Amino acid sequence: MDLDVPFCLTTLPKEWLDYYHRNEYIHIDPVIGYGLSSIKPALFSDIPLSYAKSRELRSCAAERGIFKSGFVVPLRGPLVNRAMVCFSNLEKPEQWNSTIVSLQTKFIQLAHELHENVLAIGHFPQAEVALTARQKQCLKWASLGKTAAETAIIIGVTERAVRAHLTGARSVLNASNITQAVAKATALHAIF
């Protein structure tokens, strides 16, 4: 991901965004760093401020009435593309934390719905998936619950060949297992 030109849909004031970009805060923003490296939602106050410049960023935001506290929901797409939805507030962290306790599930659900809608209307190009016809075929049968041995009989190759095609598909899709490979291939409309 090119952090100099991320896609950003925000309600933050333009003046703040200009200031943020001028100071290159994106490179030290602890919320951005956390959102890109984690999968667990978190309160801004629970994210460590590793650098003095990170503390400066948080202070500047509070002084300008941008946020005092917040909640980030990291999101992942089918090819491990990353996104995050942040909810920020001018309440003190202690007050905001009690709000999050009661509304956390709704914020997470809203984040996922926003992400799906942005992807649906944004016409973002999907990465081309270079799966072979056999890899797609093997993934399709795996998605239907067939074992490598059953798939081998169905498509007329050896079980070893099926396993090789599935391993190749896992590699192309950067998947850690066949289930994840099937999920990614399905999300990318590479199978079915």
Side-chain angles (χ1 to χ4, degrees):
M1 176 182 184
D2 181 358
L3 289 178
D4 291 328
V5 195
F7 173 77
C8 182
L9 184 61
T10 183
T11 58
L12 294 172
K14 182 181 179 341
E15 299 78 32
W16 169 254
L17 294 174
D18 291 342
Y19 177 80
Y20 183 94
H21 290 295
R22 251 189 335 273
N23 287 287
E24 298 183 348
Y25 281 143
I26 194 164
H27 299 290
I28 54 92
D29 188 331
V31 174
I32 298 289
Y34 179 87
L36 293 177
S37 63
S38 182
I39 59 170
K40 183 180 174 188
L43 293 162
F44 287 8
S45 59
D46 291 341
I47 299 170
L49 298 175
S50 309
Y51 306 104
K53 206 143 166 73
S54 298
R55 289 185 283 281
E56 173 190 317
L57 163 63
R58 195 164 283 172
S59 295
C60 288
E63 288 168 10
R64 289 175 164 74
I66 303 301
F67 70 84
K68 288 185 182 173
S69 40
F71 184 66
V72 59
V73 181
L75 303 161
R76 299 292 181 266
L79 282 177
V80 196
N81 51 329
R82 297 168 291 186
M84 68 190 81
V85 175
C86 296
F87 302 93
S88 58
N89 196 298
L90 289 171
E91 291 179 356
K92 292 181 179 174
E94 307 77 47
Q95 296 166 310
W96 177 246
N97 294 359
S98 65
T99 301
I100 288 300
V101 167
S102 63
L103 297 175
Q104 180 174 355
T105 304
K106 292 182 188 219
F107 279 131
I108 293 169
Q109 182 180 6
L110 178 60
H112 284 280
E113 289 175 13
L114 285 169
H115 187 231
E116 287 173 19
N117 285 316
V118 166
L119 290 175
I121 63 172
H123 304 290
F124 296 101
Q126 290 288 349
E128 288 297 316
V129 179
L131 292 171
T132 66
R134 278 289 197 213
Q135 288 170 339
K136 290 178 185 180
Q137 195 175 28
C138 291
L139 284 171
K140 176 185 170 198
W141 287 110
S143 76
L144 297 172
K146 300 297 181 189
T147 65
E150 292 168 327
T151 301
I153 294 167
I154 293 167
I155 66 175
V157 298
T158 66
E159 183 178 346
R160 184 175 176 175
V162 170
R163 291 188 189 284
H165 291 305
L166 290 172
T167 299
R170 280 181 44 215
S171 177
V172 167
L173 293 165
N174 194 24
S176 58
N177 56 45
I178 299 303
T179 303
Q180 187 180 30
V182 166
K184 287 183 175 188
T186 301
L188 292 167
H189 306 291
I191 58 176
F192 291 101

